[in-house]
Amino acid sequence: MIPGKFITLEGIDGAGKSTQLTWIVELLQRAGLQTVVTREPGGTALGEQLRALLLDKTMTMHAETETLLMFAARREHLDKVIIPALSQGQWVISDRFADASFAYQGGGRGLNVDKLSILEHWVQGELQPDLTLYFDVPVEVGMQRVSQIKNVDRFEKEQADFFQRVRAAYLDRARQFPDRIKIIDSSQSLAEVKAAVEQTLKDVLNHG
Ligand SMILES: Nc1ncnc2c1ncn2[C@@H]1O[C@H](COP(=O)(O)OP(=O)(O)O)[C@@H](O)[C@H]1O
Ligand SMILES: [Mg+2]
């Protein structure tokens, strides 16, 4: 049996993560793999409650409080969902993971990267995703796509300069970890993005 792998999807709001998630699961299941789909913040009972607090646009909190809650939810997620599934040989696909903290809390909110790295090692040890698909779109494209949504959350309501910093931090992270993080040009049509995702996954299934 192929041991389980951990795939994470990243990108600014409106990049197309949730849209491509369905397609990724379909491709993996077609390859005969068992999949577990999850998301961050969230993925556990406690994590979903923390998510509700973190996304509540009427809530205000210090950037470090936000970061600590994100990592608290992640600790629970690893313990209750991600690690058990991987140990059973399942493939875990998570809509966001720790790179989002480096992008949103690091880039977006300006939190010190050394503090984020300490939390990352504390919560995850050496565990990293086997593959991260980073869906890259210009900020205007992402914001345009999200503008259709009526009830924007605490992050989606941020302005363009916030998302510029988030995108720049994601791209930095992708340059830092080129073997793990694959950049998908998500400004293309849905069909083109799907094809790019399929190609990237095939490479991983065949070589990794
Ligand atoms: N490649 C694409 N071209 C055009 N529209 C897209 C594309 N990918 C996603 N969308 C649309 O953009 C919106 C946001 O996509 P979504 O998958 O929810 O993004 P995310 O989960 O990254 O925030 C949705 O309405 C979706 O249908
Ligand atoms: Mg989404």
Side-chain angles (χ1 to χ4, degrees), residues 71-89:
F71 276 97
R74 184 162 300 132
R75 181 69 189 87
E76 203 62 17
H77 196 201
L78 282 161
D79 185 56
K80 297 274 195 321
V81 177
I82 299 171
I83 292 171
L86 292 173
S87 329
Q88 290 167 25

Side-chain angles (χ1 to χ4, degrees), residues 125-194:
E126 295 308 310
L127 189 141
Q128 290 291 340
D130 295 287
L131 171 70
T132 297
L133 298 175
Y134 165 57
F135 294 93
D136 186 54
V137 279
V139 167
E140 313 78 64
V141 176
M143 290 186 84
Q144 172 59 33
R145 289 181 187 167
V146 169
S147 69
Q148 317 298 326
I149 307 170
K150 285 194 183 65
N151 290 314
V152 293
D153 66 35
R154 207 167 60 82
F155 292 98
E156 290 162 346
K157 76 177 176 60
E158 290 288 345
Q159 304 300 311
D161 60 333
F162 175 85
F163 291 109
Q164 298 288 8
R165 294 195 300 276
V166 173
R167 185 188 185 201
Y170 266 134
L171 286 168
D172 265 0
R173 196 96 178 133
R175 273 189 287 268
Q176 212 180 326
F177 303 103
D179 292 340
R180 171 171 68 85
I181 305 180
K182 302 299 174 198
I183 303 177
I184 307 272
D185 177 0
S186 200
S187 65
Q188 305 175 96
S189 72
L190 267 178
E192 288 169 318
V193 178
K194 275 179 83 171

Side-chain angles (χ1 to χ4, degrees), residues 47-62:
E48 289 295 325
Q49 294 208 29
L50 291 172
R51 178 188 181 91
L53 295 170
L54 283 159
L55 298 192
D56 180 352
K57 63 172 178 294
T58 66
M59 188 70 74
T60 57
M61 63 182 82
H62 192 283

